[in-house]
Amino acid sequence: MFSAETYTERRRALAEKVDSGLILFLGNLEAPMNYASNTYPFRQDSNFLYFFGIDRPGLAATLDAGTGETIVYGDELTMDDIVWTGDLPTISEQAEAAGVFKTAPMVALESAVKGKSVHYTPPYRGKNIIWISELLSITPAAAKSGASMELIRGIISLRSYKSAEEVEQLDIAVRVTEAMHIRAMEVARPGLTEAQVHAAIQETVHSYDSHTSFLPIVSVRGEVLHNHSHSNLMNSGQLLLVDCGGESPMHYAGDMTRTFPVDTTFNDQQRDIYQVVLASQVTAVEMCRPGVAYRDVHLEAARVITYGLKELGLMKGDPEEAVEAGAHALFFPHGLGHAMGLDVHDMEDLGENYVGYDERYERSDQFGLAFLRLGKELEPGFTITVEPGVYFIPQLIDQWKAEGLHSRFIDFDALDAYRTFGGIRIEENLLITGDSSRLLGDGIPKTVEDIEELRG
Amino acid sequence: MFSAETYTERRRALAEKVDSGLILFLGNLEAPMNYASNTYPFRQDSNFLYFFGIDRPGLAATLDAGTGETIVYGDELTMDDIVWTGDLPTISEQAEAAGVFKTAPMVALESAVKGKSVHYTPPYRGKNIIWISELLSITPAAAKSGASMELIRGIISLRSYKSAEEVEQLDIAVRVTEAMHIRAMEVARPGLTEAQVHAAIQETVHSYDSHTSFLPIVSVRGEVLHNHSHSNLMNSGQLLLVDCGGESPMHYAGDMTRTFPVDTTFNDQQRDIYQVVLASQVTAVEMCRPGVAYRDVHLEAARVITYGLKELGLMKGDPEEAVEAGAHALFFPHGLGHAMGLDVHDMEDLGENYVGYDERYERSDQFGLAFLRLGKELEPGFTITVEPGVYFIPQLIDQWKAEGLHSRFIDFDALDAYRTFGGIRIEENLLITGDSSRLLGDGIPKTVEDIEELRG
């Protein structure tokens, strides 16, 4: 945990942003896998972590926006609990460490919220939807849609700007993530399965007593953007795309991608596309600084890809017009990146558009650009990912070709030689500083030469 | 998946056991970790797996108990889905593989259940509670408590008896589990952390493209029965308790425990207690056969422990009386074992007492025996765990000592030398055969000699 002062100050700042009423924080409960007591690894709600730091299931808290009074609710362990789960600090001890000096048993929460104007964040787990519905005597549907815009905007205005101690956690998370990637690059060989590389990544992250910050992608079919299957055998001539991240001890997330040949060296086709993606990624990283709109960085990254693919004969026509029209999205159908912090897509529970867009930058509905989670101007303290990619998605190619979509900009015949290529993505994590940006973590091989040296 | 005939026959047998009405199966949905789209690894509901075998989120099915008509509900992938998650067999293809020839989009489910007498199993995930509540227009509380006893008993009467092809899956799961344990015994050394051993276990299970069947326990504080923290350094003179399991490709569970010294050999105190637990475990395994009540096996295992601890001077008085009174439960506070299958505690979602007890064997409320999940007579086709243990739980010892509880049978002063001992548990998995039982898997070191040889 950070210091009690840190949490106290965060709550004071939040109370100031919410005019009046009672702010209700529901921590996460255990999440059942196949029956109630067989649970997934516990993950505390990130807003609860940010304002209270207590990493334990079954807690709630209230913050009176007017008076600032704060209460943590939870039930102390019984002797039966201690036999099964061991001794823990008491809830009052943990609350005090977060600067909260008033605690109450969970049964007291219902009367505490009764008749109050209650602010809560959008619940994303079924159990918490039911919890809110029962506390406030409303339907689950009303509980789900009844979150407070004032609270959402207040939290985003705080969590968007990472403090020095948060950046320290993010550096740790990215270093764990880098170790996972180095391990993957060390072990992947033709004849092994994706599962074996995934296993090595899991060993690395767990050896830090950490967890993955999201389900790892380890796939020779990198063109499937969120491919969580690891069942393929890795063959010579294929690329392996690895997108994974670990958490810091305080649950900040890392999120990096590397793509490398299953062989020790890239073949010509792989090297050509890799250089296009790398140029796009490097250009984008260089552009990131305060005052630059991330949508413009995304579009510039798309332009570099389009120029590159034109040079390789896969695209044609005017690259600027092609990007304007969205033709590049056949190859680069996702956004350039997103905010990261306590969540790998930071604060996505609060609403992607409130986190990544504002009155000046509105979300596009064009295929590709529509998936860009962050469009607004970058500011000091933002932490973000930069992750362009080029993919050859047979189903999408066939659909566009059949519809003649963007045929002015795409040479569909030339794509035949790439149908089993897969995809390439390169992803790093940045902190936006006062006048520029810096890489989080230490940096790991990214160029063709450095990757081939590590793989050799 | 098993053959279409297998699933068809299971559903036919179930329909016969439920008099009339519509049986509703809700598959599991994705389970959010810290926001909706950042999910835990998907785990299908075990009842859905048993009757349909389709391992994919977002499905439901109905089975008309009268007519036998079966429909699988789900929505086909859109092109946007394919870009993100890749191509999958269609729902009709998957349903046909399970012997179901009628499918419908999810939106059709509501009208299908309207006005019907609907049977469903007890929901354990919040989202499914809400789903039922919305489908049947009832409150979440009513949805949670409204499961069908007829359906519960019908399913238990089928799933309790494992077919040859299920036993094959369980053998695979136990072999994965054995590999995890061998790996743990190979890597654990003084100066490493529990997390590093846990990491090695995770690598082993993931290298089979499998998942853990429950959160692994890897702890030098084995006396904390469900200790999921892995933060301790392992020191010379300590024991490491490892309780973990992997899943077979079709999601059957393994569940084994080994306890071994962090050093390469047991010290005298450790060896003494280990031999007591081992004698108890071996006796219990030998007793397991059709017609024997598992409660009697549990009590015999407790007696062996009590005789052993008396010999070591930790218990006193008449061992038979001590077990009758429940005095052994200070050291052996949990049950001897439980049913296992698609769930590590098989069918626990349906109700522990319906699975493990019947009209002849009722659950005790005595401390210790109350935690025994399986009490009834063993039958051919049952698969179970056998897992006695001896633990020294300082908080429990202090409480019993202060209350003078069972002081006729326990030498509390002698326990002072064991306050930091931890705990020992030895667990194996058995199939009850026609006239006896056999070990699932291949068997791994269990005696002091065999463990020391592997560790040396």
Side-chain angles (χ1 to χ4, degrees):
Chain A
M1 284 178 70
F2 296 129
S3 69
E5 291 67 36
T6 295
Y7 297 106
T8 304
E9 170 53 25
R10 287 175 179 176
R11 291 190 300 266
R12 192 204 55 72
L14 181 65
E16 222 168 60
K17 288 171 188 287
V18 175
D19 198 42
S20 67
L22 195 70
I23 303 171
L24 171 66
F25 298 91
L26 296 184
N28 278 336
L29 305 167
E30 294 282 14
M33 198 162 66
N34 48 339
Y35 53 88
S37 74
N38 200 27
T39 61
Y40 286 110
F42 177 69
R43 178 53 158 77
Q44 181 58 293
D45 174 71
S46 296
N47 295 308
F48 202 90
L49 283 176
Y50 186 80
F51 291 104
F52 296 90
I54 314 176
D55 189 12
R56 172 176 176 165
L59 297 181
T62 54
L63 166 59
D64 188 304
T67 66
E69 187 191 49
T70 310
I71 304 173
V72 168
Y73 296 83
D75 297 322
E76 299 293 356
L77 297 182
T78 65
M79 178 56 74
D80 268 14
D81 295 330
I82 290 171
V83 167
W84 291 91
T85 65
D87 225 347
L88 287 174
T90 65
I91 290 168
S92 351
E93 284 164 355
Q94 293 191 302
E96 275 183 39
V100 180
F101 299 93
K102 202 164 170 189
T103 61
M106 193 54 82
V107 70
L109 183 59
E110 193 168 341
S111 61
V113 301
K114 196 156 220 144
K116 298 273 173 60
S117 158
V118 174
H119 301 268
Y120 60 87
T121 57
Y124 49 88
R125 289 190 180 188
K127 279 185 177 181
N128 281 25
I129 294 171
I130 295 170
W131 196 0
I132 291 169
S133 108
E134 291 178 346
L135 278 173
L136 305 183
S137 303
I138 55 180
T139 65
K144 203 172 166 185
S145 63
S148 159
M149 268 314 305
E150 216 182 334
L151 179 62
I152 288 170
R153 294 205 186 277
I155 293 177
I156 291 173
S157 74
L158 296 172
R159 283 183 55 189
S160 293
Y161 306 94
K162 271 67 178 177
S163 68
E165 56 194 356
E166 288 186 283
V167 171
E168 206 176 296
Q169 288 289 318
L170 282 158
D171 270 321
I172 294 172
V174 174
R175 280 190 201 106
V176 172
T177 303
E178 290 175 333
M180 295 161 78
H181 279 282
I182 295 283
R183 182 80 190 281
M185 289 194 231
E186 283 170 353
V187 305
R189 289 290 176 263
L192 297 186
T193 61
E194 295 164 346
Q196 287 172 291
V197 180
H198 176 242
I201 285 173
Q202 291 284 357
E203 178 173 42
T204 303
V205 68
H206 285 290
S207 72
Y208 288 92
D209 206 5
S210 172
H211 280 101
T212 54
S213 49
F214 58 96
L215 294 177
I217 299 167
V218 181
S219 183
V220 292
R221 296 200 45 211
E223 84 282 7
V224 178
L225 300 183
H226 282 176
N227 190 346
H228 297 132
S229 152
H230 309 126
S231 59
N232 292 309
L233 193 72
M234 301 185 297
N235 293 316
S236 178
Q238 291 182 313
L239 289 165
L240 186 69
L241 187 151
V242 178
D243 185 351
C244 67
E247 285 193 348
S248 74
M250 295 183 58
H251 301 291
Y252 285 78
D255 178 8
M256 292 176 65
T257 308
R258 286 293 184 272
T259 310
F260 54 87
V262 171
D263 301 307
T264 52
T265 55
F266 291 83
N267 66 31
D268 290 345
Q269 198 186 45
Q270 291 168 345
R271 187 177 297 109
D272 285 346
I273 301 292
Y274 194 90
Q275 299 291 19
V276 170
V277 179
L278 182 62
S280 169
Q281 205 265 351
V282 168
T283 301
V285 166
E286 279 169 3
M287 275 182 75
C288 288
R289 63 170 57 81
V292 174
Y294 199 65
R295 188 177 65 190
D296 294 336
V297 186
H298 170 90
L299 290 171
E300 186 58 25
R303 268 180 226 110
V304 175
I305 285 172
T306 304
Y307 275 98
L309 295 181
K310 186 179 174 185
E311 214 160 297
L312 295 175
L314 302 179
M315 294 189 72
K316 56 190 185 183
D318 179 39
E320 309 280 331
E321 278 178 47
V323 169
E324 177 90 11
H328 65 281
L330 177 63
F331 307 101
F332 175 34
H334 62 74
L336 181 67
H338 50 80
M340 53 180 281
L342 277 166
D343 307 301
V344 61
H345 293 169
D346 209 23
M347 301 174 276
E348 190 166 298
D349 61 312
L350 301 176
E352 228 172 55
N353 288 346
Y354 307 130
V355 176
Y357 291 86
D358 56 20
E359 54 292 333
R360 290 174 55 204
Y361 293 91
E362 216 179 294
R363 194 154 181 164
S364 164
D365 57 6
Q366 186 188 70
F367 178 80
L369 198 51
F371 293 130
L372 179 63
R373 302 173 198 279
L374 174 63
K376 68 186 183 185
E377 266 184 21
L378 299 175
E379 297 182 61
F382 280 19
T383 45
I384 61 170
T385 70
V386 179
E387 47 175 316
V390 168
Y391 315 87
F392 296 88
I393 306 169
Q395 301 91 333
L396 196 62
I397 292 172
D398 292 344
Q399 191 191 49
W400 283 33
K401 188 176 179 178
E403 294 173 3
L405 200 60
H406 297 307
S407 54
R408 201 153 60 94
F409 300 114
I410 296 163
D411 186 338
F412 285 105
D413 292 339
L415 297 185
D416 286 346
Y418 291 80
R419 286 188 76 86
T420 61
F421 183 93
I424 291 174
R425 179 164 64 251
I426 306 170
E427 175 179 21
E428 291 179 308
N429 305 143
L430 294 190
L431 165 70
I432 308 301
T433 57
D435 58 352
S436 176
S437 72
R438 78 156 173 89
L439 204 65
L440 291 165
D442 298 325
I444 57 168
K446 182 167 78 162
T447 64
V448 165
E449 297 69 33
D450 288 351
I451 287 175
E452 290 185 344
E453 196 186 316
L454 175 56
R455 296 276 301 146
Chain B
M1 284 178 69
F2 295 129
S3 70
E5 290 67 38
T6 295
Y7 297 107
T8 303
E9 170 54 25
R10 287 174 180 177
R11 291 190 302 266
R12 192 203 56 72
L14 181 65
E16 220 166 64
K17 287 171 188 288
V18 174
D19 197 42
S20 67
L22 195 70
I23 303 171
L24 171 65
F25 298 91
L26 296 184
N28 277 337
L29 304 167
E30 293 282 14
M33 196 163 64
N34 49 339
Y35 53 89
S37 74
N38 200 28
T39 60
Y40 286 110
F42 176 69
R43 177 55 158 79
Q44 181 59 292
D45 174 71
S46 296
N47 295 308
F48 202 90
L49 283 176
Y50 186 80
F51 291 103
F52 296 90
I54 315 176
D55 188 11
R56 171 177 178 164
L59 297 181
T62 54
L63 166 59
D64 188 304
T67 66
E69 187 191 47
T70 310
I71 305 173
V72 169
Y73 297 82
D75 296 323
E76 299 293 355
L77 297 182
T78 65
M79 179 57 73
D80 269 16
D81 294 330
I82 290 171
V83 167
W84 292 91
T85 65
D87 225 346
L88 286 176
T90 64
I91 289 167
S92 350
E93 284 163 355
Q94 293 190 304
E96 276 182 39
V100 180
F101 299 93
K102 202 163 170 190
T103 61
M106 193 52 84
V107 70
L109 183 59
E110 194 168 340
S111 61
V113 301
K114 198 157 216 141
K116 299 273 172 61
S117 160
V118 174
H119 301 269
Y120 60 87
T121 57
Y124 49 87
R125 289 189 179 188
K127 279 184 176 182
N128 281 25
I129 294 170
I130 294 171
W131 196 1
I132 292 169
S133 108
E134 291 178 346
L135 277 175
L136 305 183
S137 302
I138 54 179
T139 64
K144 205 173 165 185
S145 64
S148 158
M149 268 314 304
E150 215 182 334
L151 179 62
I152 288 171
R153 295 206 186 275
I155 294 178
I156 291 173
S157 73
L158 296 173
R159 284 183 55 190
S160 292
Y161 305 94
K162 272 65 178 178
S163 68
E165 55 194 356
E166 288 186 283
V167 171
E168 205 177 298
Q169 289 288 318
L170 283 157
D171 270 321
I172 294 172
V174 173
R175 282 190 199 106
V176 172
T177 303
E178 289 175 333
M180 294 162 77
H181 279 282
I182 295 283
R183 182 80 190 281
M185 288 194 231
E186 282 170 354
V187 305
R189 289 291 175 263
L192 297 185
T193 61
E194 295 164 345
Q196 287 172 291
V197 180
H198 175 242
I201 285 173
Q202 290 284 356
E203 179 174 39
T204 302
V205 69
H206 284 292
S207 72
Y208 288 92
D209 205 6
S210 171
H211 280 100
T212 54
S213 48
F214 58 95
L215 295 176
I217 299 168
V218 181
S219 182
V220 293
R221 295 198 48 211
E223 83 282 7
V224 177
L225 301 184
H226 282 176
N227 190 348
H228 297 131
S229 153
H230 308 126
S231 59
N232 292 309
L233 194 70
M234 299 184 297
N235 294 315
S236 178
Q238 291 182 314
L239 289 165
L240 186 69
L241 187 151
V242 178
D243 185 352
C244 66
E247 285 192 347
S248 75
M250 294 183 58
H251 302 291
Y252 285 77
D255 177 9
M256 292 175 65
T257 308
R258 285 294 183 271
T259 310
F260 54 87
V262 172
D263 301 308
T264 51
T265 54
F266 290 83
N267 65 32
D268 290 344
Q269 198 185 45
Q270 291 167 345
R271 186 177 299 110
D272 286 346
I273 301 292
Y274 194 89
Q275 300 289 22
V276 170
V277 179
L278 182 63
S280 168
Q281 204 266 351
V282 169
T283 300
V285 166
E286 281 169 3
M287 275 182 75
C288 288
R289 65 170 54 83
V292 174
Y294 199 65
R295 189 177 64 190
D296 294 336
V297 186
H298 170 91
L299 290 171
E300 186 59 26
R303 269 180 225 110
V304 175
I305 286 171
T306 305
Y307 275 99
L309 294 181
K310 186 178 175 186
E311 212 158 300
L312 295 173
L314 303 179
M315 293 189 73
K316 55 190 186 183
D318 179 41
E320 309 280 331
E321 278 178 45
V323 168
E324 177 91 11
H328 64 282
L330 176 64
F331 306 100
F332 175 33
H334 61 75
L336 181 66
H338 50 80
M340 55 180 283
L342 278 166
D343 308 300
V344 61
H345 293 170
D346 208 25
M347 303 174 275
E348 190 166 300
D349 61 313
L350 301 177
E352 229 170 54
N353 288 347
Y354 306 129
V355 177
Y357 291 87
D358 56 19
E359 53 292 333
R360 291 173 53 205
Y361 294 90
E362 215 179 296
R363 195 156 180 161
S364 163
D365 58 5
Q366 185 188 71
F367 178 80
L369 198 51
F371 294 130
L372 180 63
R373 303 174 198 278
L374 173 63
K376 67 185 183 186
E377 265 184 22
L378 300 175
E379 298 182 59
F382 281 18
T383 45
I384 61 169
T385 70
V386 179
E387 47 176 315
V390 168
Y391 315 88
F392 296 88
I393 306 169
Q395 301 91 334
L396 196 62
I397 292 171
D398 292 345
Q399 192 192 48
W400 282 34
K401 188 176 180 178
E403 294 173 4
L405 201 60
H406 296 306
S407 53
R408 200 153 60 93
F409 301 113
I410 296 162
D411 186 338
F412 285 104
D413 291 341
L415 297 185
D416 286 346
Y418 290 80
R419 286 189 75 84
T420 62
F421 182 92
I424 291 175
R425 179 165 62 253
I426 305 171
E427 176 180 19
E428 291 179 310
N429 305 144
L430 294 190
L431 165 70
I432 307 302
T433 58
D435 58 353
S436 177
S437 72
R438 78 158 173 89
L439 205 64
L440 291 165
D442 298 323
I444 56 167
K446 181 166 81 161
T447 64
V448 164
E449 298 68 34
D450 288 350
I451 288 175
E452 289 185 344
E453 195 187 317
L454 174 57
R455 296 276 301 145

